[in-house]
Amino acid sequence: MAHNVCMIRGDGIGPEIAEATRRCLDAAVATTRGAKPINWSFAEAGVDVMETAGTPLPEETLEAIKAADACIKAPVTTPVGTGFRSVNVHLRQSLGLYACLRPCKSYPGVRSRYEDIDLVIVRENTEDLYAGIEFERGTEDAGQVFDTINATSKGKKIVSGRATTGISIKPISVEGTERIVRFAFEYARANGRRKVTSVHKANIMKFTDGLWLEISREVAGKYTDIEFEDRIVDNMCMQLVQKPELYDVIVLPNLYGDILSDLCAGLVGGLGVAPGANIGDKGAIFEATHGSAPKYKGQNKVNPTALILSGMLMLRHIGETIAGDRLERATADIIREGKDVTYDMKLDRDDPTAVGTSQMADAIIRKLEAKR
Ligand code: NAD
């Protein structure tokens, strides 16, 4: 028996970090007693496949992801001016990947202003201002929404001009909030975490963020073994910068989640080491937070850590917890030793001792083999 994993190699730096990650994942399971091997399938997405398939996300790719136990995806470039919004948004919506998980952890050896941070961001992925319900200023649709709002809002009117106002709608539902807050608590419980913090702006947006807070409290009532608290988003930003060690699992609606995940990635040393996962009831895609960095394409230069750590999350997700933990330790050892790391992890970015993407993976594999 093997785990069926679909890999999307992406474009730009994607194929290089994907190959480095695939080799590390194979080594992690091969060197862990009792772990099942990975049976890889490969699917295409991004600007490269667009030329032949006419779309950056072919139907076969969606089918291949659905057929697999999990998917690991390297970054893809968002094509500009094609009318296609984003491969990532499309994937999340069509596969119902409602939870975005972003662990932010300090690894000694990564340059950062803080030490000992170990936070997990749980971001709702489908609702909020990112639901894509927007009306462009000057269009008839925007005008009609403007009129409806002004006719029904009991004296609270949009004061700017009918033809000069763009409108975005922020849907937040009981169902959407319930399932993401429950996800955060279940994650906390399964991973030995002590506290969940729910973030909102309920003092201003009473019917959306107010609902979020009310449902967060209701769900929290069912998890008495995990501490619960809430924070207003602006205060949360300040607290994270001043005392990040106070926080553990943080659950947020889509927009605040997007912003705070980058803030927290910054706390632990930036995008090069920030892994991520998009998880739903029927599937999961694991991917680095960073993009396809096209200017570094084909140079065997960039840091594979964020995708390798995303692979570590995938191993845990498919039940290979020991292999996942071993991969994390091997990667952390290489980073701490600071020798076989890419240019961005050296004190001086022009340091000639920096190794390439695939050589950093080789060093992690050697660690895994040495510490069987
Ligand atoms: P980016 O993350 O690709 O790159 C920004 C800069 O960060 C790079 O120039 C590089 O200096 C640095 N960087 C990124 N990854 C690195 C790594 N692994 N090692 C070392 N340095 C690294 O962001 P961008 O330039 O804004 O986006 C490029 C493309 O990627 C865009 O088309 C964007 O839409 C897409 N994108 C895709 C994803 C995804 O597929 N998940 C995520 C974000 C952006």
Side-chain angles (χ1 to χ4, degrees):
M1 285 288 283
H3 300 286
N4 291 315
V5 175
C6 174
M7 173 168 263
I8 297 177
R9 285 175 281 212
D11 54 53
I13 57 168
E16 300 156 52
I17 57 172
E19 181 56 14
T21 300
R22 190 193 61 73
R23 292 195 297 115
C24 288
L25 289 172
D26 276 343
V29 287
T31 57
T32 303
R33 196 171 309 133
K36 288 193 270 181
I38 297 173
N39 178 24
W40 296 96
S41 60
F42 298 93
E44 305 297 331
V47 287
D48 292 351
V49 69
M50 176 123 189
E51 285 163 23
T52 48
T55 164
L57 185 57
E59 197 53 39
E60 305 89 85
T61 298
L62 280 173
E63 293 309 317
I65 299 171
K66 285 183 195 159
D69 300 328
C71 170
I72 184 149
K73 175 183 156 295
V76 298
T77 306
T78 304
V80 180
T82 57
F84 200 95
R85 237 171 111 219
S86 150
V87 166
N88 298 316
V89 172
H90 200 89
L91 276 172
R92 283 167 209 162
Q93 284 174 352
S94 39
L95 299 170
L97 308 177
Y98 63 86
C100 177
L101 191 68
R102 294 265 175 87
C104 295
K105 185 168 168 179
S106 305
Y107 291 103
V110 178
R111 262 192 317 283
S112 155
R113 288 174 181 270
Y114 301 86
E115 288 168 7
D116 297 330
I117 292 180
D118 190 3
L119 293 172
V120 180
I121 297 274
V122 176
R123 164 187 169 192
E124 204 287 325
N125 241 351
T126 63
E127 301 198 314
D128 198 353
L129 283 162
Y130 283 24
I133 313 169
E134 291 198 289
F135 301 92
E136 188 179 0
R137 89 177 136 89
T139 60
E140 188 43 35
D141 281 355
Q144 280 179 14
V145 176
F146 183 95
D147 291 342
T148 307
I149 292 168
N150 277 2
T152 59
S153 61
K154 298 185 186 119
K156 291 179 192 160
K157 293 198 180 296
I158 304 177
V159 290
S160 46
R162 186 181 190 275
T164 55
T165 305
I167 300 172
S168 294
I169 305 278
K170 171 175 165 132
I172 301 260
S173 71
V174 170
E175 300 80 4
T177 307
E178 223 167 53
R179 77 179 171 181
I180 194 70
V181 179
R182 214 178 321 115
F183 180 96
F185 274 99
E186 288 293 334
Y187 180 89
R189 206 177 247 175
N191 291 277
R193 300 271 171 171
R194 67 193 153 79
K195 182 166 80 171
V196 172
T197 305
S198 173
V199 179
H200 58 86
K201 188 82 184 172
N203 51 332
I204 303 294
M205 284 166 279
K206 299 192 192 312
F207 300 138
T208 48
D209 286 23
L211 178 158
W212 170 275
L213 177 58
E214 180 192 329
I215 301 298
S216 293
R217 286 180 173 148
E218 260 177 50
V219 174
K222 297 181 187 130
Y223 292 87
T224 46
D225 51 326
I226 312 275
E227 199 186 320
F228 173 74
E229 64 185 9
D230 71 277
R231 289 280 179 277
I232 293 177
V233 62
D234 35 356
N235 178 30
M236 186 75 216
C237 290
M238 188 185 70
Q239 300 250 336
L240 279 170
V241 171
Q242 289 194 325
K243 22 189 176 174
E245 69 284 355
L246 293 187
Y247 296 93
D248 194 349
V249 176
I250 306 175
V251 61
L252 314 93
N254 211 337
L255 174 64
Y256 310 146
D258 191 10
I259 298 167
L260 266 71
S261 11
D262 270 31
L263 187 154
C264 290
L267 295 177
V268 295
L271 295 180
V273 288
N278 292 294
I279 301 175
D281 291 333
K282 293 191 193 131
I285 297 184
F286 296 81
E287 63 181 341
T289 304
H290 63 73
S292 58
K295 71 177 176 193
Y296 291 113
K297 176 180 177 172
Q299 295 178 28
N300 185 38
K301 183 166 176 171
V302 296
N303 191 346
T305 303
L307 196 62
I308 292 172
L309 292 177
S310 307
M312 170 272 287
L313 296 177
M314 187 193 76
L315 288 176
R316 289 182 183 154
H317 182 80
I318 59 178
E320 297 292 358
T321 313
I322 299 174
D325 291 350
R326 290 185 61 251
L327 178 59
E328 183 181 23
R329 275 199 299 277
T331 309
D333 283 352
I334 292 300
I335 294 172
R336 194 187 58 252
E337 289 165 14
K339 189 164 114 346
D340 296 311
V341 293
T342 47
Y343 75 99
D344 55 305
M345 289 198 149
K346 294 283 186 182
L347 265 180
D348 170 7
R349 288 186 151 228
D350 296 321
D351 187 332
T353 68
V355 302
T357 310
S358 73
Q359 288 69 36
M360 183 162 174
D362 292 340
I364 294 169
I365 293 166
R366 282 197 298 276
K367 270 288 175 223
L368 284 163
E369 286 170 348
K371 289 194 172 177
R372 271 168 195 268

